[in-house]
Amino acid sequence: MFAKLPLTALRGFESAARLGSFKAAARELNVSPAAISHQVKSLEAFLGVRLFERSSQNVRLSADGERLHPQMHRALLDIQHGLQTLSPPCAAQSLVVSTTPAFASLWLIPRLGDFHRRYPDIDVRLHTSNDVVDLQRDASVDMAIRALFKPDPQLFEQPLLDECFGVYCRPGWQPPVDGMPIDLIDVPWLSDANVAVDWPAWCAAAGTLGWLDNARLRRYDEEQHALQAAIVGHGLVLASNVLVAEAVAQGQLLGYRPEVHLPGARYTVVCVPGRERQPLVRRFSEWLLGQDIVLESAH
């Protein structure tokens, strides 16, 4: 039934298509670039179509290659999963999750103990970076949690949390009398090009533009540092309701003027199509979506 399937060539094609390079595929599969090129040519001859457009500088997928690659990727993932079910448990129980350092430290890690208690045999490894990992090319990352403004048609997505931005303060904080300085903690928040998430935008919505004339801005590059500054009383912080949720739940911060808020992104669980069927990915996704979320919403 499968005697004529060119399995080696299919694996070489999938690697080259995912990594966008014959040379990178050769490194991944521990063969020469010439071997990858030969495998791809033999697959093209077998199918009777051109899978890559070649130039003197690079290669890129043809229209037929674009159609074939996701099917091959899903098929090889299923084969890998089938083999893992027969491997020793320690070899099949590692899950790599990519997200931002802020989301990891402020939302995910405080809740991760519950997952470990439920599934002690699953080793969750966090890959934290503000750079977006290309899940199509980096097969070492199983899934990611991202703040998205627009869907990514190349990925399987599950909505997790809707984000908005509001102002938070330390319990007991009182607004200054007119004309007195006010301490505002400033941090660059990621936003859609059409959405401003900053103090001028919030003050305009709140009718407090006069604050900006007397503001002392305390600037931080990292979200978690800005929230920590607010917790210890360095001023008001304009923050994501998702990232501030743990501090609010513990009574460290309170919402100020919660009826005033700015729109944000949607935190979404994403993976390469097909990986959502893998047991570890499915289990972690179901746990994420089943969390009892306590958000100090601006609504």
Side-chain angles (χ1 to χ4, degrees), residues 206-226:
T208 58
L209 285 172
W211 280 10
L212 302 177
D213 297 330
N214 300 295
R216 293 182 298 209
L217 292 177
R218 314 298 187 191
R219 292 186 170 88
Y220 293 88
D221 291 330
E222 300 291 339
E223 297 97 325
Q224 54 267 49
H225 298 162

Side-chain angles (χ1 to χ4, degrees), residues 99-110 128-130 163 187-190 221-225 227 240 242-244 267:
T99 192
T100 64
F103 186 84
S105 62
L106 296 172
W107 194 93
L108 182 56
I109 290 175
T128 58
S129 175
N130 287 320
E163 180 181 61
V187 63
W189 293 102
L190 296 177
D221 291 330
E222 300 291 339
E223 297 97 325
Q224 54 267 49
H225 298 162
L227 292 188
S240 160
V242 173
L243 300 185
V244 81
Y267 277 87

Side-chain angles (χ1 to χ4, degrees), residues 163-169 185 189 197 199 202 227 236-242 244 254-264 296-299:
E163 180 181 61
C164 62
F165 289 85
V167 169
Y168 296 86
C169 62
I185 298 169
W189 293 102
V197 180
W199 278 111
W202 187 90
L227 292 188
L236 294 175
V237 65
L238 177 62
S240 160
N241 64 326
V242 173
V244 81
L254 298 173
Y256 175 76
R257 299 281 304 276
E259 76 281 4
V260 181
H261 59 90
L262 303 174
E296 179 68 11
S297 176
H299 295 284

Side-chain angles (χ1 to χ4, degrees), residues 20-220:
S21 163
F22 287 3
K23 188 176 294 185
R27 287 195 298 267
E28 181 176 75
L29 299 179
N30 198 29
V31 297
S32 69
I36 296 295
S37 178
H38 176 74
Q39 291 171 14
V40 170
K41 287 180 180 178
S42 68
L43 182 58
E44 289 176 327
F46 177 82
L47 297 173
V49 298
R50 184 176 292 276
L51 298 172
F52 284 91
E53 301 293 343
R54 298 163 175 83
S55 71
S56 59
Q57 295 180 334
N58 55 30
V59 296
R60 61 183 179 84
L61 284 170
S62 67
D64 288 318
E66 292 280 5
R67 285 196 292 271
L68 179 62
H69 178 239
Q71 298 177 48
M72 276 300 93
H73 188 78
R74 285 194 293 270
L76 291 175
L77 281 175
D78 287 341
I79 292 173
Q80 178 176 273
H81 166 59
L83 295 174
Q84 285 178 339
T85 59
L86 300 177
S87 300
C90 61
Q93 298 295 309
S94 179
L95 183 72
V96 180
V97 180
S98 175
T99 192
T100 64
F103 186 84
S105 62
L106 296 172
W107 194 93
L108 182 56
I109 290 175
R111 293 165 172 79
L112 204 51
D114 177 68
F115 183 83
H116 292 322
R117 285 189 292 271
R118 293 170 185 260
Y119 307 104
D121 296 331
I122 299 178
D123 176 23
V124 178
R125 302 180 185 179
L126 296 182
H127 174 281
T128 58
S129 175
N130 287 320
D131 296 326
V132 177
V133 174
D134 188 338
L135 297 178
Q136 299 282 359
R137 294 191 173 190
D138 191 346
S140 68
V141 178
D142 296 294
M143 59 192 298
I145 305 170
R146 295 177 178 167
L148 300 178
F149 287 91
K150 298 177 182 177
D152 187 335
Q154 293 187 319
L155 297 176
F156 176 83
E157 299 183 352
Q158 293 177 286
L160 178 61
L161 298 164
D162 286 324
E163 180 181 61
C164 62
F165 289 85
V167 169
Y168 296 86
C169 62
R170 188 178 184 180
W173 181 87
Q174 295 294 325
V177 298
D178 290 344
M180 295 297 293
I182 184 169
D183 294 321
L184 303 179
I185 298 169
D186 192 33
V187 63
W189 293 102
L190 296 177
S191 68
D192 185 86
N194 297 321
V195 180
V197 180
D198 54 25
W199 278 111
W202 187 90
C203 289
T208 58
L209 285 172
W211 280 10
L212 302 177
D213 297 330
N214 300 295
R216 293 182 298 209
L217 292 177
R218 314 298 187 191
R219 292 186 170 88
Y220 293 88

